[in-house]
Amino acid sequence: MTSTILLTAAIMTFGAIMWIMLTEIGKRTDIMRAPPSFHARQAKLILPLAALFVVLVLLASQAKSWGWP
């Protein structure tokens, strides 16, 4: 049960990452000519969410071995 909840949260986090990337990058006509501040803002949004995704997947995979219900 716990692993299912954690995996669902991980999938929702991954969806949020994709939504942020697609909406922000889709606003730019030429992503390669974007200023460094644009890429820095993207990194500040995406990297913490990516770390949360990894932590949730790891917790979901270890939930049964740790005895969580």
Side-chain angles (χ1 to χ4, degrees):
M1 179 69 179
T2 304
S3 62
T4 305
I5 293 170
L6 289 170
L7 197 56
T8 303
I11 291 169
M12 292 173 64
T13 305
F14 184 76
I17 292 170
M18 288 294 117
W19 179 72
I20 288 171
M21 284 177 30
L22 291 176
T23 57
E24 290 293 320
I25 292 173
K27 292 177 187 176
R28 306 292 285 182
T29 56
D30 189 8
I31 194 68
M32 297 306 291
R33 293 180 188 248
S37 61
F38 174 78
H39 297 294
R41 188 174 71 240
Q42 288 296 311
K44 287 178 185 176
L45 287 172
I46 293 171
L47 290 178
L49 287 173
L52 177 64
F53 172 75
V54 169
V55 167
L56 288 171
V57 168
L58 288 174
L59 287 175
S61 68
Q62 296 298 317
K64 289 194 183 205
S65 66
W66 290 342
W68 295 353

